[in-house]
Amino acid sequence: MSMMETGPIPAEAREAGLHPFEVGLGRRPANYVALTPVSLLARAAAACGARIAVIDGSRRFTYADLYGRCRRLAAGLAGRGIGSLDTVAILAPNVSEMIEAHFAVPMLGAVLNPLNTRLDPATIAFSLRHGGARALIVEAEYAALAARALGDFAEPVLVVAIGETGIDGAVPYDSLLAEGDPDYAWVGPVDEWQSLCLLYTSGTTGDPKGAVYSHRGGYLQALGNAVTFGLTDASVYLWTLPMFHCSGWSYPWASVAACATQVCLRKVEPAAIFRLIAEHRVTHLCGAPIVLSMIAHAPAHDRVPFPQTVRCAVGGAAPSSTIIRTMEDLGFQVTHLYGATESYGPATVCLAQPDWADLPETERYARMARQGVPLATLEAVSVADPATDAPVPRDGVSVGEIRLRGNTVMKGYLGNPDATEQALAGGWYRTGDLAVWHPDGSVEIKDRAKDIIISGGENISSLEVEEVLMRHPAVMLAAVVAKPDPTWGESPCAFLELKPGATEPADQELIAFCRERMARFKVPKSVVFGPLPKTSTGKIQKFVLREQARAL
């Protein structure tokens, strides 16, 4: 019997030459619902409503509480005129309200824009303008920063204040919740490709670029992280990673997908980390290498013993063997991840293989430092020759550019089609990171194609720092490169060539000059004066300066 004889087919379908699998099997409300991370909270509230979802200091919220608060916030924002695809920015530390915003704003079909609290007012103002913010949720600690960023806005912005901010006209967060309906009937996106979040990346030149996430991508990244990191309903996740960074690598959604408990932490301090791990039996945390360094080098009086093993995921520069060894001795199991703002955070994971346990310690730590293989929800990773686009051999020697493809790659950069096309050309997201591909399929970064400095998990554009330095009246040329830093992984090191006849400024004068014009984490920690090495065409030879910086 042929396939066309397996059942009755309408005459018009038969005449059109349609296959049985193309007839009467379309999408219906019963078999197709657009993916959205908001549904993860609805499910968690129904399945485990009495379970503690969030611990924030003395505050405790069950999943039923969290769902009700999110619905109230969504309804309150809607009542104030916020609607579909409006941008709602938030400037806050890792508090419960930050988690709530990750569900309430998408409930409206609006777009959440978590802002980096470490940035200067001008950069915050740029992000608010570029993203078209209709509302700004701000926590009291960052009231002054928000006020300066909003200083010359012509268009009115709804300001929602968490705590006492002193900002004129601000609506108290709790009052907005009181206005809202805990049974607010939110409707998911009609199209799962609808924009969900806007995350600004520091980039390498010019203004920040706004990476746009979709509901589909957020949902899948949440599940990918939950599976990769082994989250379950018995897990307790500690917020040592800023939620403004790639929406906390999607862990506000991933934790809820697993019905885990999230423990908020306003400020990353070793004593607080150890105390909360012991008090709440924390099982998982994420962070930049600086977080591991702080934990590993915590003084004895800050350390509190705990019986459980804590899984610790680290992104950015690979942790040193000394850090990994110390973390293991303290009761942490370290997993290395790799990704970018453009890939919703983690895109690859270093999966430990059974035979690693038999390797010498040095070799085992070297394997653990690899960037690894794709998360289950990423379609593919490739290491390709930038000149030919052909994959390099998986020999652990040939160098190429890491490229990513899948549903957890950004939609593109808001209002920047040229940058979007450049980043996503040829069917891959081009990371700009150079790596080798090992026979087991894992990738390992060898160098950075662009002169980005990764300090404490933050990307710093060398060109941006150079531009500020060259505003100094004594500086003629500036070149900034990464210098290895035992605390931050890398730190900016500035090489300066002075104008003829200029007096050499004191290091502290230059640092103070920079601090007035950029975020503190971007300020050079080392300054070297002298002629800069150049090619015959006058191009500064940064590879020479990198070697000099390593020797300092």
Side-chain angles (χ1 to χ4, degrees):
M1 181 182 296
S2 71
M3 285 297 294
M4 293 300 288
E5 297 172 339
T6 58
I9 300 175
E12 60 271 19
R14 188 180 300 109
E15 291 172 1
L18 296 178
H19 193 279
F21 287 124
E22 298 173 312
V23 179
L25 301 177
R27 295 179 181 179
R28 307 166 183 260
N31 63 22
Y32 176 81
V33 179
L35 300 178
T36 174
V38 180
S39 67
L40 301 173
L41 178 56
R43 179 259 177 185
C48 50
R51 187 184 300 277
I52 296 296
V54 178
I55 297 173
D56 185 3
S58 62
R59 299 190 296 172
R60 303 288 187 277
F61 299 117
T62 65
Y63 270 102
D65 295 332
L66 180 61
Y67 190 35
R69 286 173 64 85
C70 291
R71 293 167 87 177
R72 283 183 182 276
L73 178 56
L77 289 170
R80 296 278 179 159
I82 304 302
S84 180
L85 295 183
D86 285 339
T87 301
V88 178
I90 182 167
L91 190 64
N94 286 348
V95 290
S96 176
E97 289 82 358
M98 187 66 134
I99 297 171
E100 292 162 11
H102 275 83
F103 291 94
V105 173
M107 281 181 181
L108 286 172
V111 180
L112 182 66
N113 176 209
L115 296 171
N116 188 334
T117 59
R118 300 168 184 167
L119 296 177
D120 56 279
T123 305
I124 296 291
F126 168 84
S127 300
L128 293 172
R129 286 197 187 89
H130 184 266
R134 289 284 313 283
L136 171 62
I137 302 172
V138 59
E139 204 270 345
E141 182 179 349
Y142 300 103
L145 176 59
R148 291 183 63 187
L150 291 168
D152 57 352
F153 263 60
E155 295 295 323
V157 175
L158 171 66
V159 178
V160 180
I162 305 170
E164 295 293 331
T165 64
I167 298 176
D168 291 341
V171 178
Y173 188 92
D174 289 340
S175 296
L176 192 63
L177 290 190
E179 295 174 11
D181 181 359
D183 297 318
Y184 173 69
W186 62 275
V187 179
V190 175
D191 183 349
E192 60 191 20
W193 186 244
Q194 183 174 315
S195 297
L196 169 74
C197 283
L198 171 65
L199 285 306
Y200 281 94
T201 174
S202 57
T204 56
T205 59
D207 292 321
K209 296 192 290 290
V212 180
Y213 294 175
S214 69
H215 282 255
R216 177 180 179 83
Y219 182 94
L220 292 172
Q221 182 73 357
L223 297 187
N225 280 328
V227 170
T228 299
F229 211 19
L231 293 176
T232 71
D233 60 358
S235 299
V236 180
Y237 181 86
L238 178 61
W239 274 108
T240 49
L241 174 78
M243 275 187 252
F244 64 67
H245 183 48
C246 308
S247 277
W249 294 356
S250 298
Y251 274 97
W253 305 314
S255 299
V256 168
C259 292
T261 298
Q262 300 180 65
V263 180
C264 295
L265 179 63
R266 292 182 63 96
K267 187 177 181 180
V268 177
E269 296 174 326
I273 292 172
F274 277 98
R275 176 179 58 80
L276 292 173
I277 288 174
E279 181 180 348
H280 300 301
R281 290 189 169 270
V282 168
T283 59
H284 295 75
L285 60 83
C286 297
I290 180 59
V291 175
L292 271 67
S293 181
M294 292 173 68
I295 293 172
H297 295 109
H301 60 77
D302 283 345
R303 298 181 181 181
V304 179
F306 50 87
Q308 75 276 20
T309 297
V310 179
R311 294 191 63 176
C312 176
V314 58
S320 68
S321 59
T322 301
I323 294 293
I324 295 176
R325 183 186 301 109
T326 304
M327 292 293 289
E328 289 181 345
D329 291 342
L330 290 172
F332 296 86
Q333 178 185 336
V334 178
T335 300
H336 190 213
L337 305 171
Y338 166 78
T341 302
E342 291 84 349
S343 63
Y344 295 65
T348 69
V349 56
C350 185
L351 292 178
Q353 302 300 316
D355 61 339
W356 289 10
D358 300 326
L359 294 173
E361 192 176 74
T362 302
E363 179 61 21
R364 180 168 70 89
Y365 291 148
R367 299 284 182 93
M368 291 174 68
R370 291 179 182 175
Q371 282 59 48
V373 296
L375 267 63
T377 45
L378 182 73
E379 182 65 22
V381 63
S382 176
V383 181
D385 185 327
T388 65
D389 289 337
V392 302
R394 299 191 185 193
D395 55 11
V397 176
S398 303
V399 176
E401 180 189 40
I402 298 178
R403 298 181 179 181
L404 310 173
R405 182 176 67 202
N407 295 292
T408 53
V409 170
M410 66 169 182
K411 295 174 65 171
Y413 297 116
L414 180 67
N416 198 336
D418 291 341
T420 298
E421 176 59 30
Q422 183 178 359
L424 304 181
W428 295 88
Y429 164 54
R430 300 163 181 255
T431 67
D433 289 325
L434 301 181
V436 297
W437 213 349
H438 289 280
D440 63 2
S442 66
V443 299
E444 180 183 1
I445 287 180
K446 289 298 183 182
D447 199 358
R448 303 194 181 277
K450 301 173 184 177
D451 295 319
I452 294 174
I453 301 161
I454 301 180
S455 183
E458 296 285 352
N459 286 356
I460 301 172
S461 164
S462 62
L463 298 180
E464 178 186 352
V465 182
E466 289 162 6
E467 194 274 336
V468 171
L469 285 166
M470 284 191 285
R471 294 181 198 169
H472 191 282
V475 176
M476 181 173 66
L477 291 175
V480 177
V481 299
K483 177 179 180 293
D485 190 299
T487 301
W488 301 101
E490 295 176 348
S491 64
C493 178
F495 290 85
L496 306 177
E497 189 168 323
L498 300 180
K499 295 177 181 178
T503 302
E504 183 174 299
D507 289 5
Q508 291 306 311
E509 177 191 338
L510 275 168
I511 291 172
F513 179 85
C514 291
R515 283 181 175 171
E516 293 176 1
R517 293 162 176 81
M518 67 178 72
R520 294 177 69 91
F521 68 86
K522 298 181 180 180
V523 175
K525 291 184 169 54
S526 305
V527 180
V528 179
F529 295 95
L532 301 183
K534 306 177 188 71
T535 66
S536 58
T537 57
K539 185 177 180 180
I540 297 173
Q541 296 175 308
K542 281 197 170 182
F543 70 94
V544 175
L545 298 179
R546 289 192 190 97
E547 291 300 321
Q548 293 180 15
R550 292 190 186 101
L552 291 177

